Amino acid sequence: MLYSTDAIVMFIEAATLGSFSAAARKLGRQQSTVSEAIANLEIDLGISLFDRSTRKPTLTQQGQVLLVHAQQMRDANDRLSRAARQLAGGLEPQLCFALSDTYQSDVFEKTLVQLEQRYPSLHLECLIAEDLDAVELVQSGRVQMALVAAQTEYPADIGYQSIAEQSEIGLYVSPQHPLASMSNISDISDSMLRDYRELRLNTYREEHRTPIQGLHWSSSSYLILLEMTEQGFGWAALPRWIVKRFGAADLKQLAVRGWPRTIQVHLIWSRQRGLGQAGSWLCEQLLQPVR
């Protein structure tokens, strides 16, 4: 039996967000459309996916099982679309992608060498963007894909998958900073950190969404934060590879419980626009296990 791709997506979003109305808002649909699509899906499947006896619909046991399969169907559909576009041929003239400074990999650099050899006429553009800024670049079509620190959720039109490699972020200060003398203490508390200026990443989208509390300076660039930290203006959470390459001699890592933190990296793309031949190839290479 064939099932509507739209209904599958609505089911996934309703289950993930916990309500039909929230799913409708995220997908840009009417709540009645979402409710009807899920009801029809339940008829087709012959089971109830949601228990509607409570104030908010909750997944039934059968719904919990089928949610996993629905997510697999959605991901398989994305893979099918990428493969079809690649087989259809027609190399895109330009490939643009955004890259987070949380990610650095020799595998990525080697993959670019292979990309250049495989598609020598391709015009390649790489932008640096973090978090929601990178998501917006993909949504707007400014870039075809992005490598970003994993977000807790994405808009419905964004496809994503974890890559095998991970990154690490630590807390750093300059040797002259008052916290530097505590760099060997294993129980530096959050309250102790709040006594000093935080140098924090603040993307454009986040700045206009949630006001930053406390004493702080901010930048959308990790490299600028690194320079601020080296000047002793405060403490900062920085990708460890950036500190190792650009500031190892000038910074001290703070021993704070829960730090350094491992960062999962996601490859994201637009479900609506998809990827061209070169983009599909690059995507498949980045999603392969670490070699």
Side-chain angles (χ1 to χ4, degrees):
M1 182 180 293
L2 297 177
Y3 305 107
S4 165
T5 302
D6 282 347
I8 293 295
V9 171
M10 292 178 193
F11 166 46
I12 293 171
E13 294 299 338
T16 303
L17 298 175
S19 78
F20 294 172
S21 58
R25 287 192 298 271
K26 184 173 181 179
L27 296 170
R29 302 292 189 88
Q30 296 293 326
Q31 181 177 341
S32 59
T33 301
V34 174
S35 299
E36 182 179 356
I38 293 176
N40 289 334
L41 181 60
E42 289 176 317
I43 293 172
D44 291 339
L45 293 170
I47 62 172
S48 295
L49 298 171
F50 291 94
D51 178 2
R52 296 171 174 79
S53 63
T54 56
R55 188 172 66 88
K56 287 188 176 182
T58 56
L59 281 175
T60 62
Q61 289 184 344
Q62 296 95 329
Q64 292 173 2
V65 172
L66 290 186
L67 176 61
V68 176
H69 294 289
Q71 292 168 331
Q72 292 173 344
M73 286 181 62
R74 179 195 61 187
D75 295 341
N77 184 67
D78 284 344
R79 291 192 297 270
L80 175 65
S81 298
R82 290 201 303 268
R85 280 188 289 270
Q86 190 167 13
L87 291 172
L91 177 65
E92 64 269 40
Q94 177 171 301
L95 176 61
C96 304
F97 64 85
L99 187 64
S100 166
D101 273 331
T102 58
Y103 174 76
Q104 191 275 337
S105 169
D106 293 338
V107 172
F108 179 73
E109 295 171 359
K110 293 175 182 176
T111 301
L112 287 186
V113 172
Q114 297 174 19
L115 179 72
E116 192 276 334
Q117 294 172 345
R118 190 180 185 93
Y119 304 108
S121 63
L122 177 71
H123 176 67
L124 184 68
E125 181 182 15
C126 178
L127 306 179
I128 300 298
E130 306 294 340
D131 303 338
L132 297 178
D133 284 358
V135 174
E136 185 174 26
L137 287 172
V138 174
Q139 279 190 298
S140 68
R142 178 63 181 84
V143 301
Q144 284 81 57
M145 65 176 72
L147 285 165
V148 297
Q151 306 296 296
T152 54
E153 65 175 353
Y154 294 94
D157 59 332
I158 294 294
Y160 69 95
Q161 192 167 338
S162 298
I163 66 172
E165 297 170 290
Q166 296 181 327
S167 183
E168 282 191 333
I169 289 184
L171 299 184
Y172 294 91
V173 293
S174 73
Q176 294 75 37
H177 194 278
L179 286 171
S181 61
M182 309 178 208
S183 60
N184 294 323
I185 301 177
S186 60
D187 59 351
I188 295 178
S189 64
D190 291 340
S191 61
M192 293 170 66
L193 290 176
R194 285 195 293 270
D195 289 337
Y196 300 93
R197 182 185 293 115
E198 177 184 4
L199 308 174
R200 64 176 295 169
L201 187 74
N202 187 27
T203 65
Y204 177 81
R205 284 283 298 273
E206 290 171 334
E207 180 182 4
H208 289 75
R209 203 176 190 183
T210 306
I212 299 176
Q213 303 298 324
L215 184 63
H216 70 275
W217 286 3
S218 64
S219 173
S220 61
S221 166
Y222 275 117
L223 288 176
I224 292 177
L225 293 179
L226 174 70
E227 293 181 357
M228 289 180 176
T229 308
E230 289 177 333
Q231 294 298 317
F233 295 133
W235 59 269
L238 300 169
R240 297 184 75 186
W241 79 267
I242 287 183
V243 175
K244 183 178 180 180
R245 179 173 294 185
F246 300 110
D250 299 314
L251 297 180
K252 285 186 174 292
Q253 183 171 336
L254 297 178
V256 179
R257 182 174 299 178
W259 294 85
R261 293 178 179 173
T262 299
I263 303 297
Q264 180 66 59
V265 178
H266 282 167
L267 175 66
I268 65 174
W269 62 89
S270 170
R271 297 186 190 279
Q272 295 179 342
R273 294 182 177 84
L275 298 171
Q277 186 177 359
S280 295
W281 179 89
L282 180 59
C283 180
E284 294 300 331
Q285 297 304 305
L286 293 173
L287 292 177
Q288 288 183 11
V290 177
R291 299 179 288 277

